[in-house]
Amino acid sequence: MKKLSFIAVALLTTTSVNAEIIKIPTHSGFSGFVMGGVGILEYKSNMYKGYNGDNESHNGLFNSPESYSSGTPILGADLRYTFAETRTQLFLGNLIQDAVRFDFTQQLGVRQQMGDKGIVALGYVFPLLPTETWADPYAAGNRQDTDMKSGGARLAWDQIWGTHFNATYTMRKFDISEERSGESMALSNAQRNMLNRNGNTNEVALSYDWIFSPGHVLHPELTYGKSSFDGSAMNYDKTQIQLSYGYNNNQWSLISNIYLGQMKYDEVNPIFGNKADSDEFGVSTTFFWHRLFNVKGLNGLISASYSKSDSDINFYDAYISSINTGLMYHF
């Protein structure tokens, strides 16, 4: 299932990077951040419904999708409560360490410091906002939208055995309310079933935090993912390499991410007679100015991003670019 998360890319990285990004505070109480802002978004995708429904009609089955643009709000939060004595932390939202890794999955869960063995976390993952897609994305004319529900679990182990290595495993289940892929096409029932987007995804990520000088952090990450959808032509293996760099001082911070990915599909798509294999690329940069208006904890931010998915089937090509600005308050 081809997917670019518009909310995720619009948000970009929403936190500053420093040597403490994965530690649990030493004092009990609430901590985290809230943020808000606005952005300008340009995108193309045949598989996801745009914010304003601009891509209600596609540009032809054998053409790349058209480009659309819109303004969009930016919202984000990371709410945590720490029990210092037991080194336990409850969290809701998008954790700082996940945002740095270009991962904007929302979570509700618990983190536990295991002495010098690292921090183990277990959480329920879910999207920030309700998601819609097209019931039959291949239909000509005005397409009918439908809800797409998703949720799952994530198990993470940071600072494994006292090192700077980290590992995460994430499982998600996708449920499209009215899955009608291929219904408008002259396909057999077996061929239509090959396009079913309901099912599960599994991802494993390994990363390392390299603090090579005060204020500088380099974070390489390797991710492998595999899907198990009801439609065999939608199943894929995904490999992604990402490199994040962060610099932080008393006055300002800078975060940059770049990633390269590849998706290999199991079977030929019955509509196009080809597999939807794709190469993916993305880059983002976010700049923060601390103590805005001389208010402690208040940060101004400006960010830019570009992501592209180039598929062997033009219909599945996708890209998104954005420029955003906003305010973030740490507490």
Side-chain angles (χ1 to χ4, degrees):
M1 179 171 63
K2 187 68 60 181
K3 60 190 179 76
L4 282 180
S5 173
F6 297 143
I7 292 294
V9 180
L11 281 173
L12 296 174
T13 15
T14 56
T15 61
S16 54
V17 181
N18 55 59
E20 307 296 319
I21 58 174
I22 61 174
K23 291 185 178 179
I24 293 177
T26 57
H27 300 287
S28 297
F30 286 100
S31 60
F33 71 82
V34 292
M35 67 162 295
V38 294
I40 298 174
L41 185 72
E42 184 177 4
Y43 70 94
K44 67 177 183 181
S45 172
N46 279 324
M47 301 302 290
Y48 276 77
K49 181 177 178 291
Y51 288 113
N52 301 320
D54 295 327
N55 59 339
E56 194 172 42
S57 300
H58 60 68
N59 194 35
L61 287 175
F62 298 96
N63 301 316
S64 295
E66 295 183 359
S67 296
Y68 300 93
S69 60
S70 65
T72 178
I74 301 171
L75 302 172
D78 170 13
L79 306 176
R80 293 167 281 165
Y81 188 86
T82 300
F83 300 91
E85 289 187 5
T86 60
R87 310 300 295 136
T88 305
Q89 185 179 78
L90 306 178
F91 62 87
L92 172 64
N94 180 236
L95 291 178
I96 288 177
Q97 57 269 32
D98 291 331
V100 169
R101 297 166 189 166
F102 210 33
D103 181 347
F104 297 89
T105 300
Q106 304 301 299
Q107 296 188 70
L108 172 63
V110 58
R111 304 174 73 216
Q112 179 64 53
Q113 178 79 48
M114 306 296 291
D116 60 356
K117 305 300 188 297
I119 300 173
V120 176
L122 178 63
Y124 169 71
V125 298
F126 57 95
L128 175 63
L129 297 173
T131 305
E132 292 184 333
T133 186
W134 303 113
D136 181 3
Y138 313 102
N142 294 336
R143 297 178 289 182
Q144 178 183 340
D145 57 44
T146 186
D147 293 333
M148 183 176 70
K149 299 177 181 179
S150 64
R154 172 172 293 171
L155 177 64
W157 187 4
D158 292 323
Q159 296 181 325
I160 299 173
W161 293 103
T163 69
H164 291 288
F165 284 98
N166 315 289
T168 62
Y169 166 73
T170 305
M171 184 279 292
R172 293 182 177 90
K173 181 179 180 180
F174 293 86
D175 182 11
I176 298 175
S177 296
E178 297 184 44
E179 170 54 288
R180 300 177 181 175
S181 292
E183 188 178 87
S184 61
M185 311 296 295
L187 300 174
S188 67
N189 289 335
Q191 289 174 319
R192 284 197 295 270
N193 289 337
M194 293 176 67
L195 302 173
N196 194 307
R197 295 164 290 171
N198 291 311
N200 304 314
T201 61
N202 295 272
E203 288 188 0
V204 176
L206 300 175
S207 63
Y208 185 82
D209 297 311
W210 180 28
I211 306 166
F212 55 92
S213 65
H216 296 267
V217 177
L218 201 61
H219 182 93
E221 180 170 294
L222 175 64
T223 300
Y224 172 75
K226 188 174 183 63
S227 70
S228 179
F229 293 116
D230 294 342
S232 58
M234 298 291 100
N235 286 326
Y236 61 79
D237 290 88
K238 179 181 75 171
T239 304
Q240 180 177 300
I241 298 174
Q242 178 177 304
L243 184 64
S244 303
Y245 165 76
Y247 173 73
N248 180 58
N249 62 37
N250 291 331
Q251 186 59 72
W252 59 274
S253 299
L254 179 70
I255 304 170
S256 295
N257 296 279
I258 185 170
Y259 75 86
L260 297 172
Q262 191 173 67
M263 298 179 73
K264 295 288 188 180
Y265 283 76
D266 291 354
E267 295 191 26
V268 169
N269 188 295
I271 296 176
F272 303 98
N274 192 14
K275 292 184 180 181
D277 295 350
S278 64
D279 295 319
E280 301 186 343
F281 169 78
V283 61
S284 71
T285 297
T286 305
F287 175 82
F288 298 89
W289 189 261
H290 306 315
R291 293 187 65 93
L292 190 65
F293 308 124
N294 204 32
V295 177
K296 183 180 179 180
L298 184 63
N299 306 285
L301 69 91
I302 184 169
S303 63
S305 75
Y306 175 85
S307 296
K308 181 180 181 180
S309 177
D310 186 10
S311 174
D312 290 347
I313 297 175
N314 290 337
F315 186 84
Y316 292 116
D317 286 345
Y319 90 89
I320 183 168
S321 62
S322 66
I323 298 176
N324 311 291
T325 186
L327 299 175
M328 172 185 294
Y329 182 72
H330 285 268
F331 57 92

